Amino acid sequence: MSLTRQTYWAEHALLDTGVEPGVIVETGDDGRISAVRRATAPPPGSVTLRGLTLPGLANAHSHAFHRALRGVVQAGHATAAPARAHGGQAAAEAAERAPGNFWTWREVMYGVADRLTPDSYFALARATYAEMALAGITAVGEFHYLHHAPGGGRYANANAMGEALIAAAAEAGIRITLLDTCYLSSGFGAEPNQHQLRFSDGTAEEWATRAAALKGDGNTRIGAAVHSVRAVPVDQLGTVAAWAQERDAPLHVHLSEQTVENDACVEAHGFTPTALLSDHGVLGPRTTAVHATHLTPGDIRLLGHSHTGICMCPTTERDLADGIGPAHRLQSAGSPLSLGSDSHAVIDILEEARAMELDERLHSHTRGHWTAAQLLRAATADGHAALGWDEAGRIEQGALADLTTIALDSVRTAGPPPHLGAETAVFAATGADVRDTVVGGRHVVRDGVHQLVPDVPGALAESIAALRD
């Protein structure tokens, strides 16, 4: 990433003191903020950021190839309405549709995964990460388990798929934490199925050897992930946890997304997934549990007392009919919250922040569980911390110069006074209202136009079309 000194003048900016008007943000050639000060007008030579400037948004949970599923997995799951006499064939076809859930969705996902190569994955991920930049996302946590060729054959470069993702993020202009994922089993004691063979390294030791060859840089950090308790045998969880601990690297894990997994874990081991992870050293402040939807009170205590982070992905959790996780109880117990777009049904961290509060309202029948500022912290500082970018997520001297500017004059955001910009951003704005995205001081999105990927919709359409049968 080429970095140069730059001076930005934010019409309004969210600082520790709240929304402030007229804020100068100077960036150095190291990609960090060198100064923050107030000014009533843009100084000569500065770049104006019109609207509300926030710290860059963090997408703490992504599966880039799932972007190819958008729209496709929404077809065929409607409940049939009563048919008129002349509509019998349509009614019969509708009646044959099985209700959709996570497991039926997963079969469609496998079909996309089977067709990816390093080159096609690069193209799809580059376009997907460019879409993220347009939505104000400056860092992504890529939960990466698509390691090998279909059928499990090894590429000459064992990390060809992971390196394709790293290169894609660099070309799209955003930071990436590659969460290289250990995935060894199709279920408790079961071998990988034919689709999952390309996910598996055989053993956790072999996974660790391959993952150790991945290299970070100024734009990239390398972390680890346990796909789930069903996908990593209990006697190999400690290997993954130790790998991350030795490197002080982030460690992520899918946790209790489905009650079926919980029941199978209790049957196999006599413990909930959370208790199993706790007993094998996986939980802790460097760890982020993704989803954490179906938890017991004891699970919540274990996660909170260990300060394990929680990444909520409300749009995906709604899309897959997973349920509403106990986000507020988890945070109250001691778990910091972050947000992710996961399956990319939409890519909009502002929507994820809003959904976390609104879903909690549906569940509890009360309003106001988090302030807008608290929700934005999950979307910025705490999200970056979950990805190992502790120096990002705030607008202050010494922090990474990653900024997102939201328009305050769109049809969604016009009207409220600027001092309520945080509330406007969370409860009214969408990713479509992002006007500017700055990463390391570089203006990646300017006035809503990506500066590195000229035609993001075209790149998405082309890369997805290439994966169709």
Side-chain angles (χ1 to χ4, degrees):
M1 182 182 293
S2 177
L3 305 174
T4 58
R5 296 177 182 271
Q6 185 59 269
T7 299
Y8 293 96
W9 181 79
E11 184 181 28
H12 303 278
L14 181 64
L15 306 181
D16 285 344
T17 53
V19 175
E20 301 286 354
V23 176
I24 292 175
V25 180
E26 295 182 0
T27 70
D29 53 15
D30 59 354
R32 292 177 180 263
I33 296 172
S34 56
V36 178
R37 63 182 190 275
R38 297 281 299 278
T40 56
S46 64
V47 176
T48 295
L49 301 175
R50 189 72 64 185
L52 173 67
T53 296
L54 309 170
L57 303 177
N59 186 352
H61 189 67
S62 162
H63 301 291
F65 75 93
H66 290 187
R67 177 59 180 83
L69 300 172
R70 185 182 296 177
V72 175
V73 290
Q74 310 303 332
H77 297 314
T79 301
R84 297 178 183 271
H86 62 274
Q89 180 61 35
E93 291 175 356
E96 290 175 359
R97 297 169 182 164
N101 58 27
F102 172 85
W103 307 102
T104 56
W105 168 90
R106 191 175 69 159
E107 292 304 312
V108 182
M109 179 270 288
Y110 283 153
V112 173
D114 287 345
R115 294 192 289 274
L116 284 163
T117 67
D119 287 343
S120 62
Y121 205 8
F122 166 80
L124 176 58
R126 174 179 175 267
T128 301
Y129 296 154
E131 182 183 355
M132 290 185 194
L134 288 172
I137 293 164
T138 57
V140 60
E142 184 61 39
F143 200 102
H144 166 57
Y145 53 83
L146 199 57
H147 303 306
H148 307 299
R154 272 39 176 179
Y155 293 109
N157 173 4
N159 284 308
M161 295 294 273
E163 290 177 5
L165 293 166
I166 291 170
E171 290 209 11
I174 69 172
R175 304 184 193 278
I176 185 170
T177 297
L178 188 72
L179 297 159
D180 196 275
T181 303
C182 187
Y183 193 135
L184 307 173
S185 171
S186 65
F188 298 94
E191 293 297 315
N193 65 33
Q194 61 177 359
H195 303 291
Q196 297 163 346
L197 288 172
R198 72 180 309 188
F199 308 162
S200 176
D201 289 293
T203 68
E205 289 292 346
E206 292 176 18
W207 165 83
T209 298
R210 181 188 51 74
L214 288 162
K215 304 299 181 187
D217 54 38
N219 196 66
T220 306
R221 296 200 173 155
I222 307 299
V226 170
H227 179 273
S228 56
V229 293
R230 72 176 185 274
V232 179
V234 64
D235 61 350
Q236 300 188 59
L237 290 170
T239 300
V240 185
W243 188 98
Q245 184 176 17
E246 289 165 5
R247 292 161 175 79
D248 196 26
L251 175 61
H252 288 217
V253 55
H254 289 134
L255 177 64
S256 293
E257 184 178 4
Q258 296 290 321
T259 56
V260 170
E261 178 180 84
N262 287 356
D263 294 343
C265 186
V266 171
E267 182 177 354
H269 298 291
F271 296 100
T272 65
T274 300
L276 197 69
L277 294 174
S278 178
D279 285 350
H280 289 83
V282 177
L283 303 186
R286 284 181 302 97
T287 299
T288 297
V290 182
H291 302 305
T293 307
H294 303 285
L295 303 177
T296 68
D299 292 338
I300 293 172
R301 286 193 297 272
L302 283 172
L303 291 163
H305 291 176
S306 62
H307 302 293
T308 298
I310 306 295
C311 180
M312 305 301 293
C313 306
T315 297
T316 292
E317 289 147 12
R318 292 184 300 193
D319 183 51
L320 297 182
D322 288 341
I324 299 172
H328 194 261
R329 283 183 287 156
L330 282 161
Q331 188 175 56
S332 297
S335 292
L337 301 177
S338 56
L339 298 162
S341 62
D342 192 4
S343 67
H344 311 315
V346 299
I347 293 176
D348 190 338
I349 296 301
L350 297 174
E351 167 61 23
E352 304 297 343
R354 173 165 55 248
M356 188 164 69
E357 165 66 27
L358 297 186
D359 286 357
E360 190 76 28
R361 293 180 186 185
L362 285 175
H363 179 72
S364 66
H365 301 168
T366 59
R367 303 175 77 231
H369 302 276
W370 295 276
T371 66
Q374 289 170 330
L375 292 168
L376 287 173
R377 180 177 176 86
T380 57
D382 288 345
H384 281 96
L387 299 179
W389 297 94
D390 298 86
E391 67 274 50
R394 55 194 181 277
I395 302 176
E396 63 181 40
Q397 185 176 354
L400 291 173
D402 298 352
L403 309 170
T404 297
T405 302
I406 310 296
L408 295 180
D409 57 0
S410 77
V411 293
R412 288 166 293 277
T413 61
H419 75 269
L420 295 179
E423 288 75 11
T424 303
V426 171
F427 292 105
T430 72
D433 296 307
V434 171
R435 181 171 278 155
D436 296 275
T437 304
V438 175
V439 183
R442 179 171 65 167
H443 216 156
V444 175
V445 174
R446 187 165 191 160
D447 293 329
V449 178
H450 202 293
Q451 303 298 291
L452 306 176
V453 182
D455 179 9
V456 178
L460 285 163
E462 182 179 357
S463 62
I464 293 169
L467 300 176
R468 295 193 182 114
D469 287 327

